[in-house]
Amino acid sequence: MQRIQLVKDELSFSRCIQGYWRLNEWQMSVAELQAFVEHGLERGITTTDHADVYGAFTEEGLFGRMLKQAPHLREQIEMVSKCGILFPCEAQPDVTGVHYNSGGDYIIRAAERSLRELNTDYLDLLLIHRPDPLMDADEVAQAFNTLKASGKVRHFGVSNFSVAQFALLQSRLDEPLITNQLEISLIHSEPLFDGSLDYLQQHRINPMAWSCLGGGKVFHDFQYKALREAAMDIAQHYNAELDQILLAFVLALPCNAMPILGSGNTQRIARQVDATKLQLERQHWFALLEAARGMPVP
Amino acid sequence: MQRIQLVKDELSFSRCIQGYWRLNEWQMSVAELQAFVEHGLERGITTTDHADVYGAFTEEGLFGRMLKQAPHLREQIEMVSKCGILFPCEAQPDVTGVHYNSGGDYIIRAAERSLRELNTDYLDLLLIHRPDPLMDADEVAQAFNTLKASGKVRHFGVSNFSVAQFALLQSRLDEPLITNQLEISLIHSEPLFDGSLDYLQQHRINPMAWSCLGGGKVFHDFQYKALREAAMDIAQHYNAELDQILLAFVLALPCNAMPILGSGNTQRIARQVDATKLQLERQHWFALLEAARGMPVP
Amino acid sequence: MQRIQLVKDELSFSRCIQGYWRLNEWQMSVAELQAFVEHGLERGITTTDHADVYGAFTEEGLFGRMLKQAPHLREQIEMVSKCGILFPCEAQPDVTGVHYNSGGDYIIRAAERSLRELNTDYLDLLLIHRPDPLMDADEVAQAFNTLKASGKVRHFGVSNFSVAQFALLQSRLDEPLITNQLEISLIHSEPLFDGSLDYLQQHRINPMAWSCLGGGKVFHDFQYKALREAAMDIAQHYNAELDQILLAFVLALPCNAMPILGSGNTQRIARQVDATKLQLERQHWFALLEAARGMPVP
């Protein structure tokens, strides 16, 4: 599988990334999870995407239990995690209302918790999960410096940030933010038009792309009937499946987005990895865009 | 009261600013206005916000009459005024239609008129009141230079400017624009999300905030019932009043916004100044935001 | 007629530009088209606007037939063309679906086709016709360099680009993009407010303005009744025609937009050129804006 060089001589990701958003729903035993990770590695997926908040703050712990059993896997994978979202749940008994926290001390505590939960000494990449209107960029910068100096986190990025929010945080940092993890799909094509992807291409930053399949809605919802039919016609042309076409749409973008695959099914993952071999012709790519937006390009 | 350093060694404002938008409605005698200003000074409010256009071009004159009686107050306060809006009214007999004017000659004439009306030799800060699509940024820069050289205006800023409009004007100036006076409140939270506040924080520029209480609408309008109830619950938690909570929401922003208090009532002003001592917890701040926007944060 | 200096010592355009979008509908003989061009030259219109896609890829050929008969005209005019839009039509038998193409090889092929069709050795200016989400800015830069080195295209620009798209492409180029051709009119005033014109003024780039008359809709559509009546009142005040007022609105912008006149009627062109002598007072300009937007300026 193609690898994307994120930091020269220091860090590269596999083009497709395995997401563990729903790990707690997969009901995998430790051995099954290890087998699932190894299956991904066989297909070239080395990068794993986590967040403290996934599974109501339980996802990292599940993955960490597996890593404890199979510690040799740590050096074969890259680990991305995120912090900053808080909501009341069993694992956060002190939290009484949904909120974000990008305070300096909080970021350090959250990253340290992620390391403990994940059973690892370092994160390859830590992301601020959501833009926080209360973010003091100087505080974040200081927290990043502390985490970097201690070796606990090697690189930093953001998720769901607008261009202005990205530029603000970047202005305070000594090193470049190496990604912005964005929702990019045929049913969420805003980043193609609101400047987000233009800005990333300009600065040669590769986005991670979440929910490339639209959370399954394209497959079932009446609202997306026209898109689904157009995509299935095109899938037939390429002798491909619907999910592959939806991924190929994102993969065609010139910013080299790295799709996060959210499935826990090895067959689906294998099939979706194969989407990286599809090269949509421009006329098909635009036909998908038009079907998704319900209007012709001008 | 906290002071905000706007220009190193040259200019600081009180965190809360007294606005005189409605001075003509307050029906104060010269002596009463002087007492009102002195009451503010006792509470640490040294900064006063004016505009040529307030009170249909009569507000500055009312304040100036008081300054003429109490000229010693001039050095105890900072005076901000604005120019650029014109509309037909008694004080502008030549104007036949609403319009903006950011022409170089006009800005100089308007600032000189403000000085005469306010009975002062200088403004601490002059703002372009509204972005004008006809603005020739080079002309504005030249006018600012002339006003600065003559000592009539010490510093310059803008009001209600978008990021692009701010960057355009700044690109022509020798000195930094020191503020953007924006409408910021729970019922006008756009600047938190459209890049305006991100840009200001990035460039370490402190906004002045107008209409932080939403022009009273939060207190009465049916439309804001959910917000009002959420804010009153939170007020109770802090043993505070509704207006204090609305101000605390703005004061919590990391850009150090300086709220302009619009009341002519000394009791209200004293109470609102006390809001600077409130520190909203993040969960309460986000609960207010959610109630105001009618949707959960993602 | 006023000339706009686009590149120092190298390229200037006439303030008004003759557009040939509808040349194929004008039903002009070669001699009539030559007379039409010469009529424009007498009025100072030296700049001509073309695109490969106009007239379903036939416009350039029609103009080129004329240039072949009157090759002496080439040095008296500036020629602008555009590439990047493709759709199925007789002249493009291989195209099976609407799409954009900003691939490097394609741009070179398209420019070479334009030269052949137009019967000229060089374009003064080549524009990317529409922003393409699939644009690889490095590829475009390489194509521009190749076309420049060969002398086939002297300068480059874009059309309908957002600020972010413009900044992205510019970041890869050795020379400045010299224009962004935008739809600017009373019924499409978005560029005045979305940062597009602010950005161009900031970087001292002059936009070309297309559809300044709103495609005729202001003259007839019920939807624009209020604007039409306001504009006709103002026209009367200046002893001018409606189309002249619509043009004067665009001409008043501080970015020095260059209107593209789309008519093939010499009388209308002469009248519209005369609009450059109108100077709308600010109150009339704002009255037009308010009538067009159906709301007062704040």
Side-chain angles (χ1 to χ4, degrees):
Chain A
M1 178 179 306
Q2 185 194 2
R3 293 192 68 78
I4 303 288
Q5 198 70 30
L6 290 158
V7 185
K8 202 169 172 256
D9 301 330
E10 287 192 38
L11 186 66
S12 67
F13 280 1
S14 50
R15 183 70 193 266
C16 291
I17 292 169
Q18 180 65 53
Y20 289 94
W21 187 22
R22 294 196 170 117
L23 174 54
N24 66 320
E25 299 172 20
W26 296 346
Q27 309 283 356
M28 287 180 181
S29 69
V30 167
E32 283 166 341
L33 177 56
Q34 179 178 343
F36 181 76
V37 172
E38 287 167 345
H39 169 270
L41 286 172
E42 281 160 29
R43 264 149 198 79
I45 304 180
T46 62
T47 308
T48 66
D49 184 67
H50 310 270
D52 56 4
V53 75
Y54 290 165
F57 294 88
T58 66
E59 181 269 315
E60 292 177 320
L62 293 172
F63 197 86
R65 266 195 332 193
M66 183 278 297
L67 262 193
K68 193 163 194 172
Q69 294 303 312
H72 65 286
L73 287 178
R74 178 64 188 91
E75 291 305 305
Q76 298 178 46
I77 62 176
E78 297 85 38
M79 298 181 78
V80 183
S81 196
K82 319 184 192 74
C83 66
I85 303 178
L86 284 155
F87 65 89
C89 60
E90 212 181 305
Q92 295 282 356
D94 301 336
V95 174
T96 55
V98 181
H99 64 280
Y100 301 159
N101 194 339
S102 57
D105 292 344
Y106 176 76
I107 289 172
I108 292 171
R109 277 206 318 279
E112 288 173 345
R113 181 187 179 285
S114 286
L115 293 180
R116 281 196 307 276
E117 293 283 312
L118 288 164
N119 265 309
T120 182
D121 295 329
Y122 67 98
L123 292 173
D124 296 279
L125 178 58
L126 177 68
L127 310 180
I128 304 293
H129 205 151
R130 287 270 174 197
D132 169 15
L134 297 179
M135 176 180 80
D136 177 326
D138 293 292
E139 262 194 47
V140 177
Q142 217 167 356
F144 282 5
N145 284 341
T146 302
L147 288 168
K148 175 108 189 178
S150 66
K152 289 173 181 164
V153 180
R154 300 200 173 163
H155 301 284
F156 300 90
V158 294
S159 187
N160 306 302
F161 270 44
S162 73
V163 168
Q165 291 155 348
F166 192 103
L168 160 58
L169 182 53
Q170 183 59 71
S171 74
R172 298 303 199 271
L173 302 177
D174 301 325
E175 295 185 26
L177 294 165
I178 68 170
T179 199
N180 190 1
Q181 184 174 123
L182 295 171
E183 182 179 1
I184 311 173
S185 72
L186 269 161
I187 67 168
H188 193 267
S189 60
E190 286 84 343
L192 284 68
F193 302 102
D194 69 7
S196 294
L197 297 190
D198 299 313
Y199 180 87
L200 294 174
Q201 186 185 160
Q202 180 177 341
H203 295 281
R204 303 195 188 280
I205 296 163
N206 303 102
M208 299 169 75
W210 63 269
S211 207
C212 296
L213 305 181
K217 279 179 240 160
V218 183
F219 299 86
H220 310 295
D221 281 18
F222 181 74
Q223 182 187 355
Y224 298 112
K225 189 165 179 286
L227 170 59
R228 180 165 54 247
E229 290 177 358
M232 285 172 76
D233 279 355
I234 288 168
Q236 202 162 19
H237 177 88
Y238 290 93
N239 199 20
E241 299 289 325
L242 180 53
D243 57 355
Q244 294 180 311
I245 293 300
L246 300 182
L247 280 166
F249 178 85
V250 174
L251 287 160
L253 292 166
C255 55
N256 281 327
M258 296 169 284
I260 300 168
L261 310 181
S263 172
N265 176 308
T266 52
Q267 271 190 306
R268 278 195 199 157
I269 292 293
R271 188 173 72 214
Q272 292 175 7
V273 165
D274 280 344
T276 58
K277 296 172 195 157
L278 282 173
Q279 280 214 304
L280 292 182
E281 289 173 49
R282 281 173 176 274
Q283 67 197 52
H284 294 133
W285 192 91
F286 277 89
L288 289 166
L289 183 69
E290 290 197 349
R293 300 212 295 173
M295 62 180 183
V297 294
Chain B
M1 177 179 305
Q2 185 195 2
R3 293 193 69 78
I4 303 288
Q5 198 70 30
L6 289 159
V7 185
K8 201 170 173 251
D9 301 329
E10 286 192 39
L11 186 67
S12 67
F13 280 2
S14 50
R15 183 71 192 266
C16 291
I17 291 169
Q18 180 65 52
Y20 289 95
W21 186 22
R22 294 196 169 116
L23 174 54
N24 66 320
E25 298 171 20
W26 296 346
Q27 308 285 353
M28 286 179 182
S29 69
V30 167
E32 283 166 341
L33 177 56
Q34 179 178 343
F36 180 77
V37 172
E38 287 166 344
H39 169 270
L41 287 172
E42 282 161 28
R43 264 147 198 82
I45 304 179
T46 63
T47 308
T48 65
D49 183 69
H50 311 271
D52 55 4
V53 76
Y54 290 165
F57 293 88
T58 66
E59 180 270 316
E60 292 178 319
L62 293 171
F63 197 86
R65 264 195 334 193
M66 183 279 296
L67 261 194
K68 192 161 195 175
Q69 294 304 310
H72 65 285
L73 287 177
R74 179 62 189 91
E75 290 306 305
Q76 298 179 44
I77 61 176
E78 297 85 37
M79 298 181 78
V80 183
S81 196
K82 317 183 193 75
C83 67
I85 303 178
L86 284 156
F87 65 89
C89 59
E90 213 181 304
Q92 295 282 357
D94 300 336
V95 174
T96 56
V98 182
H99 63 280
Y100 301 159
N101 193 338
S102 57
D105 292 344
Y106 176 76
I107 289 172
I108 292 171
R109 278 205 319 278
E112 288 173 344
R113 182 189 177 283
S114 287
L115 294 180
R116 282 194 308 275
E117 293 283 311
L118 289 163
N119 266 308
T120 182
D121 295 329
Y122 68 98
L123 293 173
D124 297 277
L125 178 58
L126 176 68
L127 310 180
I128 304 293
H129 205 151
R130 287 270 173 197
D132 170 15
L134 297 178
M135 177 180 80
D136 177 326
D138 293 293
E139 263 195 46
V140 177
Q142 217 167 356
F144 282 4
N145 284 341
T146 301
L147 288 167
K148 175 109 188 180
S150 67
K152 288 172 180 165
V153 181
R154 300 199 172 163
H155 301 284
F156 300 90
V158 294
S159 187
N160 306 302
F161 269 43
S162 73
V163 169
Q165 291 155 348
F166 192 103
L168 161 59
L169 182 52
Q170 184 59 71
S171 75
R172 299 302 200 270
L173 303 176
D174 301 324
E175 296 185 26
L177 294 165
I178 68 171
T179 199
N180 190 1
Q181 184 175 123
L182 295 171
E183 182 178 2
I184 311 174
S185 73
L186 269 160
I187 67 167
H188 192 268
S189 60
E190 285 85 343
L192 284 68
F193 302 103
D194 68 7
S196 293
L197 297 190
D198 299 312
Y199 180 86
L200 293 175
Q201 186 186 161
Q202 180 177 342
H203 294 281
R204 303 194 188 280
I205 297 164
N206 303 102
M208 299 169 75
W210 64 269
S211 207
C212 296
L213 304 181
K217 278 178 242 160
V218 183
F219 299 86
H220 310 295
D221 281 19
F222 181 74
Q223 181 187 356
Y224 298 112
K225 188 163 179 286
L227 169 59
R228 180 165 54 248
E229 290 177 358
M232 284 171 75
D233 279 356
I234 289 168
Q236 204 162 17
H237 175 89
Y238 289 93
N239 198 21
E241 298 289 326
L242 180 52
D243 56 355
Q244 294 180 310
I245 292 301
L246 300 181
L247 281 166
F249 177 84
V250 173
L251 287 159
L253 293 167
C255 55
N256 281 328
M258 296 170 283
I260 299 169
L261 310 181
S263 172
N265 176 308
T266 52
Q267 272 190 306
R268 280 195 198 155
I269 292 292
R271 188 173 72 213
Q272 291 175 9
V273 165
D274 280 345
T276 59
K277 295 173 196 155
L278 283 174
Q279 279 213 304
L280 291 182
E281 290 173 47
R282 281 173 175 273
Q283 68 196 55
H284 295 132
W285 192 91
F286 277 90
L288 289 166
L289 183 69
E290 290 197 348
R293 301 212 294 174
M295 61 180 185
V297 293
Chain C
M1 178 180 305
Q2 186 195 0
R3 294 193 67 78
I4 304 288
Q5 198 70 31
L6 290 159
V7 185
K8 203 171 171 252
D9 302 329
E10 286 192 39
L11 186 68
S12 67
F13 280 1
S14 51
R15 183 72 192 266
C16 292
I17 291 169
Q18 180 66 53
Y20 288 95
W21 186 22
R22 294 195 170 117
L23 175 53
N24 65 319
E25 299 172 19
W26 296 346
Q27 309 284 353
M28 286 180 182
S29 68
V30 168
E32 283 166 340
L33 176 56
Q34 180 178 342
F36 181 76
V37 172
E38 287 167 345
H39 170 270
L41 287 172
E42 281 161 27
R43 264 147 199 82
I45 304 179
T46 62
T47 308
T48 66
D49 183 67
H50 311 271
D52 55 4
V53 74
Y54 290 165
F57 294 88
T58 66
E59 181 269 315
E60 292 178 320
L62 293 172
F63 197 85
R65 262 192 338 190
M66 184 279 297
L67 262 194
K68 193 163 194 176
Q69 294 303 312
H72 64 286
L73 287 177
R74 178 62 189 93
E75 291 305 306
Q76 298 178 45
I77 62 175
E78 298 84 36
M79 298 181 78
V80 182
S81 196
K82 318 184 192 74
C83 67
I85 303 177
L86 284 156
F87 65 88
C89 60
E90 211 181 303
Q92 296 282 357
D94 300 336
V95 174
T96 55
V98 181
H99 63 280
Y100 301 158
N101 194 337
S102 58
D105 291 345
Y106 177 77
I107 289 172
I108 292 172
R109 278 206 319 278
E112 288 173 345
R113 182 188 179 284
S114 286
L115 294 180
R116 281 196 308 274
E117 293 283 311
L118 287 163
N119 266 309
T120 183
D121 296 330
Y122 68 97
L123 292 173
D124 297 278
L125 178 58
L126 176 69
L127 310 179
I128 303 293
H129 206 151
R130 287 270 174 198
D132 170 15
L134 296 179
M135 177 181 80
D136 177 326
D138 293 292
E139 262 194 49
V140 177
Q142 217 167 355
F144 282 6
N145 284 341
T146 301
L147 288 167
K148 174 109 189 179
S150 66
K152 288 173 181 166
V153 181
R154 300 202 171 161
H155 301 284
F156 300 90
V158 294
S159 187
N160 306 302
F161 270 44
S162 73
V163 169
Q165 292 156 348
F166 192 103
L168 160 58
L169 182 52
Q170 184 58 73
S171 74
R172 299 302 200 270
L173 302 177
D174 301 324
E175 296 186 25
L177 294 165
I178 68 171
T179 199
N180 190 2
Q181 184 174 123
L182 295 170
E183 182 178 2
I184 310 174
S185 74
L186 270 160
I187 67 168
H188 192 268
S189 60
E190 286 86 341
L192 284 69
F193 302 104
D194 68 7
S196 293
L197 297 190
D198 300 312
Y199 180 87
L200 293 175
Q201 186 185 161
Q202 180 176 342
H203 295 281
R204 302 194 189 280
I205 296 164
N206 304 103
M208 298 168 76
W210 64 270
S211 207
C212 296
L213 304 181
K217 279 180 242 161
V218 182
F219 299 86
H220 311 295
D221 281 19
F222 182 75
Q223 181 188 357
Y224 298 112
K225 189 164 180 285
L227 170 59
R228 180 164 55 246
E229 290 177 359
M232 285 172 75
D233 279 357
I234 288 168
Q236 203 162 18
H237 176 88
Y238 290 93
N239 199 21
E241 299 290 325
L242 180 52
D243 56 354
Q244 294 181 310
I245 293 301
L246 301 182
L247 280 166
F249 177 85
V250 173
L251 287 159
L253 293 166
C255 55
N256 281 327
M258 296 169 284
I260 299 169
L261 310 181
S263 173
N265 177 307
T266 53
Q267 272 188 307
R268 280 196 198 156
I269 292 293
R271 190 174 71 214
Q272 292 174 8
V273 165
D274 279 345
T276 58
K277 296 172 195 154
L278 282 173
Q279 280 213 304
L280 292 182
E281 290 174 46
R282 281 173 175 274
Q283 67 197 54
H284 295 132
W285 192 92
F286 278 90
L288 289 167
L289 183 68
E290 290 197 349
R293 301 211 294 172
M295 62 179 184
V297 292

